Amino acid sequence: MPAPSRYARSTTKISWTEGGEAREFQAQRDQRQALHRWNRYVLGEEYIKEASKKYPRTKESVSSSITISRRRLTSYREKKRQNNNFDLLTTLHEAEQPNLKPDIKPAHTFTVTLEPDTYTEEKFTLFSNYQSHVHKEQPHEISRTGFRRFLCSTPLHNHPDPAALDKKTGSFHQLYRLDGRLIALSVLDLLPGAVSGVYFIYHSDFEAWSFGKLSALRETALALEGGYEMYYMGYFIHSCKKMAYKGDYRPQNVLDYDTGEWDVMDSSMRDLMGKRKWVSMSRERRIAALLDAAPGSEDTERELVDHEYRVAHPTPTEAMNSGKSLLELHVPGALAAEEVEEQVDLDDMKVTLGGGTVHRMRDIVSWAEGRVTDSGSIMGIMAELAACVGPKVAGEAVVDLGR
């Protein structure tokens, strides 16, 4: 479930989910430099010198060098002109085949393609290299089965968006190839309104090229070009060095799992991330309101913070051993028991045992014997599922118990 653990130890920081409107994106200096440096490597010095002689660049040629849907990108272009002269989309595609000068050969051939998230041995080889070099995993810890389960053939099926048939939705792999060699891969979930970055891997031969930055720019561009409103960068662990780069993309918002609302990641939120194990801005606003109503000492503020962030079961083991249902543990992002009963018609949830026949839960013999908070009963199991996926999905999904 895409929600942060409330039970993180004090040595870790909680993982927030980050997202931002793609058209509002503003590339920072180091991100622009990384992209320019990669383009220069792909094109080569000889190509750049020859192209500058034969094809002097003008403002008109730059803005028209790539054909993109003007209707989708009007807002983005206006924002770009207001902030600086850097054009993400033009620069991003500068070293790709359709935009090269026909009579000058580049040093390398660079392509980026999007395809379904199917397994190939080539992808696994790249994954194995990444896990061993970046995450220091041993050979016996890296398996084809694990790779398939983790990053291939997800349950998020590829279905066209009825409102925009040319827009892809589902799980995809974005492949980066240099001279035909697979050097990097993004795992993406394309949703009707968002590009969601799931995982990114690259070969150790190219670790000096800042592919984390390049991939984020590429995925932002995919959102812009594909008409997706948002770009989700996934979890952000404030104290994790490997995730620090995510904080450099602005503007961005952080999801408050208590309210389901997005808060701007500004300096005040960053300060709080340095003080708390995890941050909920709705809780911080409650703390501030109480302090304004009845100002007190530092001890008073500390007591309010402790109360707002109190966790009954501070570790996953304690939560599991408590015997409580997921609905009673107050997990961020999941509905509570009373919310499930109010918002979800559990009796009407659908299930199949195989063979194509679909049944309503009310027709299951042992259904009425369970309770919503009894995780050992089928009703409790379905209630926990509904709490995680939400009322809309719970009302439309068919749970396959025949597999």
Side-chain angles (χ1 to χ4, degrees):
M1 185 181 69
S5 169
R6 286 196 183 189
Y7 317 114
R9 298 185 182 275
S10 59
T11 53
T12 65
K13 294 295 180 183
I14 209 61
S15 53
W16 293 271
T17 296
E18 292 189 311
E21 290 193 36
R23 64 177 181 272
E24 299 294 326
F25 173 72
Q26 302 170 28
Q28 304 300 305
R29 181 180 179 183
D30 62 321
Q31 297 155 11
R32 299 194 299 267
Q33 289 176 337
L35 184 53
H36 286 309
R37 195 163 65 96
W38 174 250
N39 284 346
R40 199 170 193 88
Y41 170 72
V42 172
L43 295 173
E45 295 300 330
E46 290 301 319
Y47 176 96
I48 294 171
K49 290 179 182 178
E50 190 68 18
S52 65
K53 293 178 182 178
K54 289 187 175 182
Y55 304 92
R57 291 167 69 88
T58 64
K59 291 183 178 179
E60 291 74 18
S61 66
V62 169
S63 62
S64 62
S65 60
I66 299 174
T67 303
I68 306 171
S69 171
R70 292 291 179 182
R71 179 173 56 84
R72 286 178 175 173
L73 300 179
T74 298
S75 177
Y76 162 73
R77 296 292 192 193
E78 180 61 30
K79 196 74 177 180
K80 183 268 300 181
R81 283 192 293 270
Q82 293 174 2
N83 287 285
N84 53 54
N85 294 322
F86 175 77
D87 188 323
L88 171 63
L89 301 178
T90 299
T91 308
L92 192 76
H93 298 297
E94 182 180 358
E96 296 174 15
Q97 188 62 45
N99 304 300
L100 299 178
K101 307 307 178 187
D103 55 344
I104 310 175
K105 185 178 180 180
H108 303 280
T109 300
F110 179 58
T111 61
V112 180
T113 57
L114 196 66
E115 67 174 44
D117 62 337
T118 53
Y119 172 91
T120 68
E121 193 67 17
E122 182 184 35
K123 293 175 184 178
F124 172 71
T125 300
L126 179 65
F127 172 77
S128 179
N129 173 271
Y130 179 81
Q131 295 300 113
S132 61
H133 282 81
V134 175
H135 294 293
K136 310 303 180 183
E137 292 186 0
Q138 299 302 310
H140 69 274
E141 298 177 292
I142 305 170
S143 68
R144 290 171 175 79
T145 300
F147 174 59
R148 287 177 186 271
R149 183 174 60 248
F150 183 31
L151 298 175
C152 300
S153 303
T154 72
L156 189 62
H157 294 168
N158 304 326
H159 295 299
D161 183 351
L165 295 178
D166 61 333
K167 181 187 290 187
K168 293 182 173 64
T169 57
S171 294
F172 290 85
H173 287 163
Q174 192 171 47
L175 309 183
Y176 297 65
R177 294 185 182 277
L178 189 72
D179 300 326
R181 176 190 176 189
L182 182 64
I183 63 171
L185 180 152
S186 284
V187 182
L188 304 172
D189 287 340
L190 303 185
L191 311 174
V195 171
S196 179
V198 178
Y199 205 65
F200 181 75
I201 58 179
Y202 58 87
H203 197 278
S204 57
D205 289 351
F206 297 88
E207 62 184 355
W209 294 101
S210 303
F211 260 88
K213 295 175 182 177
L214 296 178
S215 65
L217 294 175
R218 178 72 57 171
E219 290 158 22
T220 300
L222 177 61
L224 287 166
E225 295 170 321
Y228 304 93
E229 180 183 2
M230 303 291 290
Y231 170 43
Y232 296 143
M233 296 190 74
Y235 294 131
F236 175 59
I237 302 176
H238 180 62
S239 63
C240 177
K241 292 182 179 180
K242 291 179 181 177
M243 291 192 180
Y245 75 93
K246 293 186 179 183
D248 296 333
Y249 293 84
R250 301 172 186 174
Q252 60 181 290
N253 300 281
V254 178
L255 182 64
D256 187 326
Y257 285 99
D258 285 336
T259 63
E261 298 176 349
W262 294 87
D263 294 297
V264 175
M265 183 190 280
D266 54 16
S267 58
S268 62
M269 182 185 288
R270 290 173 185 272
D271 289 342
L272 288 168
M273 288 179 177
K275 298 175 182 177
R276 313 268 194 261
K277 292 182 181 180
W278 58 286
V279 173
S280 164
M281 295 309 293
S282 61
R283 296 180 186 225
E284 294 296 332
R285 286 188 283 270
R286 285 199 297 270
I287 294 171
L290 290 170
L291 288 173
D292 288 342
S297 64
E298 291 185 4
D299 290 339
T300 301
E301 181 177 354
R302 192 177 300 110
E303 289 175 2
L304 288 172
V305 171
D306 290 343
H307 178 268
E308 281 293 334
Y309 285 94
R310 183 178 63 85
V311 176
H313 307 287
T315 70
T317 301
E318 289 181 49
M320 182 179 66
N321 292 339
S322 71
K324 292 184 178 180
S325 164
L326 180 68
L327 284 69
E328 299 173 299
L329 290 172
H330 305 291
V331 176
L335 300 176
E338 58 272 15
E339 292 175 313
V340 170
E341 293 178 322
E342 290 175 2
Q343 301 177 31
V344 182
D345 186 352
L346 293 174
D347 291 343
D348 202 50
M349 287 184 68
K350 297 179 282 291
V351 64
T352 179
L353 302 177
T357 304
V358 176
H359 305 278
R360 306 289 174 172
M361 293 310 303
R362 66 170 65 91
D363 299 326
I364 303 299
V365 174
S366 59
W367 175 248
E369 299 174 6
R371 292 181 296 107
V372 168
T373 56
D374 179 8
S375 56
S377 68
I378 190 169
M379 180 179 289
I381 293 171
M382 297 298 286
E384 290 187 345
L385 173 64
C388 293
V389 301
K392 184 176 181 180
V393 174
E396 298 179 6
V398 178
V399 180
D400 189 352
L401 301 180
R403 293 189 178 184

